[in-house]
Amino acid sequence: MRVNLTLVYAMGLPTGAPVMFDSNGQPDFNSAYKFQKTLPAYKRVDIGLTKVFIDPKDKKSRSGFWGISRN
């Protein structure tokens, strides 16, 4: 069984409209910064578990879901 652990710390990410348009329909690149906000910083932990059910190196036949034979 393999365990993957990922720790993430993200500072405030900017959100908002990338380009706003003025009354003439022209892009106004400076106005987008007036309405831009940031998300709060956060911490996250991701845990992943993997199990190999069929190993090509292992030539033994296994039965059952977990490789346990029932007799």
Side-chain angles (χ1 to χ4, degrees), residues 32-47:
Y33 295 106
K34 296 176 192 173
F35 302 104
Q36 194 169 21
K37 304 217 184 276
T38 56
L39 295 174
Y42 68 94
K43 299 172 192 165
R44 184 176 81 203
V45 176
D46 297 328
I47 300 173

Side-chain angles (χ1 to χ4, degrees), residues 16-22 25-36:
V19 176
M20 310 245 339
F21 295 95
D22 61 7
Q26 300 296 323
D28 185 12
F29 296 104
N30 294 327
S31 67
Y33 295 106
K34 296 176 192 173
F35 302 104
Q36 194 169 21

